[in-house]
Amino acid sequence: MTGFADEEGVRFASTLLGSRAVAGTFVESVLGVKDDNGISMRDALSQFGLDPDHIGAAARARSELLAYVELHIEQGPVLEGLNLPVGVVSAIAGATRLAASLTGVAGHAGTVPMLLRRDALSGAAECIVEIEEFCRTDPDGLVGTVGYIHAMPGATNVIPGQVSFTIDIRAPTDAHRKLAVADIVRRIEAIAKRRKLSLQLDVTHENRTVPCAPWLKSQVSEAIKAEGYRVFELPSGAGHDGMAMIDIADVGMVFVRCRGGVSHHPDEHVDTSDADAGARVLLRLIENFRPRGAE
Amino acid sequence: MTGFADEEGVRFASTLLGSRAVAGTFVESVLGVKDDNGISMRDALSQFGLDPDHIGAAARARSELLAYVELHIEQGPVLEGLNLPVGVVSAIAGATRLAASLTGVAGHAGTVPMLLRRDALSGAAECIVEIEEFCRTDPDGLVGTVGYIHAMPGATNVIPGQVSFTIDIRAPTDAHRKLAVADIVRRIEAIAKRRKLSLQLDVTHENRTVPCAPWLKSQVSEAIKAEGYRVFELPSGAGHDGMAMIDIADVGMVFVRCRGGVSHHPDEHVDTSDADAGARVLLRLIENFRPRGAE
């Protein structure tokens, strides 16, 4: 049993810190990244009494581990919709994140006729509507999100000359996600071209899909059944430490229902009885555990 | 000849300060407004050595003034497109500004299926595209601008639960602008309703259209002609001190060409020869001036 430091990447915008160290894939250059106050990860670790130069010693070998199984809230609304307290995770969906920047021409909101405008925010808005429509009409679980947007100069009476926004694309398989990203990029390029906006589009993050091991999925299913619940399998749209641990162990996951699918928000909530159900499934799994090949 | 303090409303977000004082329409409650550092306008005036309680003494009566004529850069691209250094302003277009806020449900970018989302930013994007399209297809000079947008919580991997944005609508006549605003409000309400987003929409600013006096327009035109330029009449989409001065005087305006229509931006530029042309037109106007009725 373990807990990993900073899976989310909140302070240094770099994810899976603890699990990457254990998997032996910690990237040393991340130590130089600074937080919003200009403190590097290296200094933060030192100030906390840790030795950044010993991170390599945390690495474990595949031969030391039987499996990696994680218990987590779903962070989505599927189990709640099915009235199930727990579920078996089929795979951790890969994700591609892009940073987009559109540059047009700033101008006075009252004096530039509509047909002479090169409004970066109108262009970004068209991209956002297009991304949503493209994902909404996908039959296979594609999701696309623009979570951040910044328009400059950002005044009521000025046509925005530059807009930055992020794009997060996830799908149950890598092939599906990559095709979708290529298609979305083409659509954004076409919008920028038609509106005479210059476009900067960079991939900032790319995570492969991590499938859960069939032998672990079946033991998780058995534990759920043994606790008296219906077995339901669903993918994880969110990233988890299993994405790092797959390098040194087979991965399994148990999901616990949460309220309204809300996560990363003060309203995130799990009923105590559901947390209990998840803990009992995990305990049952450990008690009945048979290593791979010994099934 | 005069210059007025803070037409723009940069520090206290309240416009036409100097001209309203001269017109006798200064609103006393504005003295309590604080800047970003928490300093009230009353304190700022006192610290500068002025007496806020004597603002009323700046007021002039209609009988004291012959006319109000203003020289200003166009802040738009029309004169440049026509290769004219100066122009006669027909009217200062009225403006309506609105603050919009859409509230949906924040959620994890990877876990909430597209069809279960209530994404406030996708909703705002659809509003922005709709406002642009509505104004772009108007045949009579309507302009609409979304200059400011803020999405919360604003993280790459979180579906925005709330988005605020501003809308600035201007047209050459008050009737046209009011009809357009009503239509745009209806369209935004329909988008919010269809997407199950709650909408807060408030008018934050409403300025009537200020027509320039025909007798002043004709004397401005004569001065332009006398300086050897072609006479061209155009509306001002931007607001000016004339909007306050109309309460105590007939208003006229001379526009000077600027580069690329860019204004309120470090790239704002007027050629020296065009500034000279504008000054000569104003001088000629004053030299040849005949008061109303004495023409």
Side-chain angles (χ1 to χ4, degrees), chain B residues 215-216 218-227 280-292 294-295:
Chain B
W215 69 275
L216 283 169
S218 84
Q219 291 196 35
V220 170
S221 300
E222 283 169 30
I224 287 176
K225 217 178 296 174
E227 288 299 327
R280 279 187 287 108
V281 167
L282 189 61
L283 180 63
R284 178 80 70 150
L285 174 72
I286 293 166
E287 285 174 345
N288 295 347
F289 187 77
R290 289 141 291 149
R292 185 177 190 172
E295 293 168 279

Side-chain angles (χ1 to χ4, degrees), chain B:
Chain B
M1 298 285 270
T2 184
F4 292 123
D6 206 3
E7 181 252 300
E8 299 289 352
V10 172
R11 182 164 173 187
F12 295 99
S14 188
T15 59
L16 309 175
L17 296 181
S19 48
R20 280 198 177 132
V22 171
T25 57
F26 185 85
V27 181
E28 293 287 328
S29 63
V30 167
L31 290 169
V33 175
K34 289 177 177 171
D35 69 8
D36 287 345
N37 296 316
I39 298 166
S40 71
M41 192 189 296
R42 176 180 293 279
D43 291 345
L45 286 166
S46 300
Q47 281 161 26
F48 192 70
L50 299 172
D51 181 354
D53 296 324
H54 273 64
I55 289 176
R60 293 287 170 273
R62 181 170 284 272
S63 58
E64 298 178 76
L65 281 84
L66 292 170
Y68 173 77
V69 178
E70 186 168 343
L71 180 67
H72 205 287
I73 67 163
E74 181 197 336
Q75 304 180 277
V78 177
L79 291 174
E80 188 182 49
L82 294 167
N83 200 24
L84 292 174
V86 290
V88 188
V89 176
S90 55
I92 303 170
T96 302
R97 291 185 191 164
L98 303 106
S101 172
L102 286 168
T103 304
V105 178
H108 193 293
T111 60
V112 186
M114 297 306 288
L115 298 177
L116 295 181
R117 295 184 176 204
R118 287 163 59 195
D119 182 331
L121 181 53
S122 294
E126 192 181 341
C127 293
I128 294 168
V129 169
E130 182 84 9
I131 292 165
E132 184 196 44
E133 184 61 17
F134 182 79
C135 295
R136 219 175 50 80
T137 53
D138 179 279
D140 297 315
L142 181 71
V143 289
T145 306
V146 175
Y148 168 87
I149 187 166
H150 181 62
M152 283 162 285
T156 309
N157 62 340
V158 184
I159 301 161
Q162 216 209 327
V163 172
S164 306
F165 60 99
T166 58
I167 308 166
D168 181 305
I169 305 290
R170 309 190 197 203
T173 71
D174 289 338
H176 186 185
R177 188 185 78 253
K178 282 174 183 171
L179 275 174
V181 167
D183 210 330
I184 286 168
V185 165
R186 272 195 300 273
R187 284 157 192 255
I188 291 174
E189 285 170 347
I191 289 168
K193 191 176 174 193
R194 178 165 42 75
R195 289 176 171 268
K196 299 194 178 82
L197 302 172
S198 73
L199 169 69
Q200 174 83 27
L201 198 55
D202 299 301
V203 173
T204 54
H205 173 102
E206 177 100 54
N207 270 332
R208 66 195 160 171
T209 294
V210 171
C212 290
W215 69 275
L216 283 169
K217 283 196 295 182
S218 84
Q219 291 196 35
V220 170
S221 300
E222 283 169 30
I224 287 176
K225 217 178 296 174
E227 288 299 327
Y229 305 116
R230 180 158 78 84
V231 174
F232 181 79
E233 211 174 280
L234 72 170
S236 169
H240 297 287
D241 286 307
M243 294 157 73
M245 295 303 289
I246 190 83
D247 284 333
I248 55 166
D250 284 351
V251 169
M253 275 194 86
V254 184
F255 262 173
V256 175
R257 165 170 60 189
C258 63
R259 191 170 63 198
V262 176
S263 184
H264 291 180
H265 189 278
D267 291 341
E268 182 173 296
H269 174 84
V270 178
D271 281 351
T272 315
S273 59
D274 288 351
D276 182 64
R280 279 187 287 108
V281 167
L282 189 61
L283 180 63
R284 178 80 70 150
L285 174 72
I286 293 166
E287 285 174 345
N288 295 347
F289 187 77
R290 289 141 291 149
R292 185 177 190 172
E295 293 168 279

